[in-house]
Amino acid sequence: MGVFAMVGRQLKLLRERAGLSQSEFGALVGYGPDQISAMERGVRTPRPDFLVKADPILNADKMLIAVIPEVEDAMRRARTRHPEWYRGQAEMEREAVELHFYATHAVPGLLQTEDHARALFAKRRPFFSEETIEKRVADRLSRQQVFERWPPPIVSYVLEEAVLDRPIGGVRVHADQLRRLLAVGDRQNVEIQVMPTKMEEHPGVDGAFNLLVPKGHEQVAYLEVQGHPQLIIHRDDVRKIADRYGIMRAVALTPKESRALIAEKLEKL
């Protein structure tokens, strides 16, 4: 964490030397004043793309760009691992050959933008400290490296339409989140389908779940309710959940129709 504190102090000195308030500087780099404050205090990770953008604005003469290798190394070393109860699921997710998700209330973690994830963790009860929020956000973003693997896993989503309508983090954050859905849905190995609210019934009303096919193993299911996780490995139980998911994919909007609906919602914001 020493690196982040050091970079934070540099940011504050350079900002003050430039005669900018946290709000003014944040507006120039696309961040809110609270986010700038958190970076200056060393409790939020200054991401490399932010440092590249901030350097000329603060007339830093590439000082901020020069510390990017140290920041990236510190991010790798300091990143919090998954909570103990989630580690088994996280390990399987990282190497899975197939990943399937049914979401009822929230955008699944692999699809979340940084600001969306931060807004979720910030509203958690009981409260997280700012440092814990930043660590959890970094960890969630690190999971998204699964999309960069080769060969890539087969990934599918069925999202209840309500997931697209709740503006978590505000309109700007929500708009970026919808754009993220459209971008990920463009990947050859990913299919995103929306379950319209007007659908009278489907077999997933018992709640959200994930299905994974770990490398070299049979399919498993994962459930989480109010922070209580459950990994289901019994073949018959997994098969029943997989059967429900297959029916849900059949009655949901197609990926093309789902994309059009997401784009329509984005345009209306």
Side-chain angles (χ1 to χ4, degrees), residues 92 95 97 212-220:
M92 287 191 296
E95 297 185 356
V97 295
L212 303 90
V213 180
K215 186 176 182 181
H217 297 279
E218 294 187 354
Q219 188 174 52
V220 300

Side-chain angles (χ1 to χ4, degrees), residues 74-93:
M75 289 171 65
R76 285 190 293 269
R77 288 186 287 104
R79 182 173 292 136
T80 300
R81 297 321 323 148
H82 300 281
E84 184 67 33
W85 53 262
Y86 189 77
R87 290 179 184 174
Q89 155 76 5
E91 291 297 325
M92 287 191 296
E93 180 184 82

Side-chain angles (χ1 to χ4, degrees), residues 24-63:
E24 291 168 337
F25 176 46
L28 293 173
V29 292
Y31 283 71
D34 290 343
Q35 294 170 308
I36 298 299
S37 174
M39 277 189 277
E40 292 183 349
R41 288 179 285 119
V43 297
R44 173 181 172 135
T45 304
R47 302 185 67 78
D49 56 345
F50 166 82
L51 294 173
V52 170
K53 192 170 185 178
D55 194 275
I57 292 173
L58 298 179
N59 297 312
D61 296 326
K62 298 188 177 179
M63 181 190 307

Side-chain angles (χ1 to χ4, degrees), residues 186-227:
D186 267 346
R187 292 175 176 266
Q188 186 178 23
N189 62 311
V190 179
E191 290 190 339
I192 296 177
Q193 294 178 253
V194 176
M195 183 68 73
T197 302
K198 67 181 180 181
M199 180 63 64
E200 293 183 358
E201 58 186 31
H202 65 72
V205 292
D206 285 346
F209 58 80
N210 301 349
L211 288 162
L212 303 90
V213 180
K215 186 176 182 181
H217 297 279
E218 294 187 354
Q219 188 174 52
V220 300
Y222 175 79
L223 315 177
E224 183 184 334
V225 179
Q226 296 295 324

Side-chain angles (χ1 to χ4, degrees), residues 18-251:
L20 297 172
S21 67
Q22 291 178 338
S23 296
E24 291 168 337
F25 176 46
L28 293 173
V29 292
Y31 283 71
D34 290 343
Q35 294 170 308
I36 298 299
S37 174
M39 277 189 277
E40 292 183 349
R41 288 179 285 119
V43 297
R44 173 181 172 135
T45 304
R47 302 185 67 78
D49 56 345
F50 166 82
L51 294 173
V52 170
K53 192 170 185 178
D55 194 275
I57 292 173
L58 298 179
N59 297 312
D61 296 326
K62 298 188 177 179
M63 181 190 307
L64 296 178
I65 294 175
V67 301
I68 287 177
E70 285 75 16
V71 168
E72 291 177 330
D73 182 62
M75 289 171 65
R76 285 190 293 269
R77 288 186 287 104
R79 182 173 292 136
T80 300
R81 297 321 323 148
H82 300 281
E84 184 67 33
W85 53 262
Y86 189 77
R87 290 179 184 174
Q89 155 76 5
E91 291 297 325
M92 287 191 296
E93 180 184 82
R94 185 158 41 245
E95 297 185 356
V97 295
E98 291 186 27
L99 294 161
H100 306 288
F101 304 85
Y102 168 52
T104 58
H105 293 87
V107 175
L110 293 181
L111 293 177
Q112 291 176 10
T113 65
E114 178 180 352
D115 286 339
H116 181 101
R118 182 172 290 105
L120 285 175
F121 286 126
K123 294 299 182 181
R124 182 187 181 277
R125 299 295 187 275
F127 294 109
F128 281 144
S129 68
E130 287 190 64
E131 183 176 358
T132 300
I133 290 172
E134 294 308 319
K135 289 179 178 179
R136 291 292 177 89
V137 170
D139 191 56
R140 178 153 294 181
L141 295 179
S142 77
R143 288 174 50 208
Q144 297 175 3
Q145 293 176 8
V146 70
F147 289 122
E148 310 304 326
R149 276 179 24 210
W150 187 261
I154 296 171
V155 185
S156 73
Y157 293 90
V158 174
L159 308 178
E160 288 289 343
E161 186 176 356
V163 172
L164 308 178
D165 292 332
R166 188 179 301 279
I168 291 174
V171 173
R172 181 188 63 80
V173 172
H174 186 54
D176 287 344
Q177 181 60 71
L178 294 182
R179 293 187 188 99
R180 164 78 174 167
L181 296 181
L182 293 173
V184 175
D186 267 346
R187 292 175 176 266
Q188 186 178 23
N189 62 311
V190 179
E191 290 190 339
I192 296 177
Q193 294 178 253
V194 176
M195 183 68 73
T197 302
K198 67 181 180 181
M199 180 63 64
E200 293 183 358
E201 58 186 31
H202 65 72
V205 292
D206 285 346
F209 58 80
N210 301 349
L211 288 162
L212 303 90
V213 180
K215 186 176 182 181
H217 297 279
E218 294 187 354
Q219 188 174 52
V220 300
Y222 175 79
L223 315 177
E224 183 184 334
V225 179
Q226 296 295 324
H228 294 276
Q230 182 180 8
L231 185 64
I232 299 174
I233 61 174
H234 191 278
R235 184 178 297 176
D236 286 345
D237 292 334
V238 175
R239 177 184 55 78
K240 291 174 184 176
I241 295 174
D243 287 347
R244 293 172 196 154
Y245 188 66
I247 296 171
M248 291 162 63
R249 293 193 69 184
V251 300

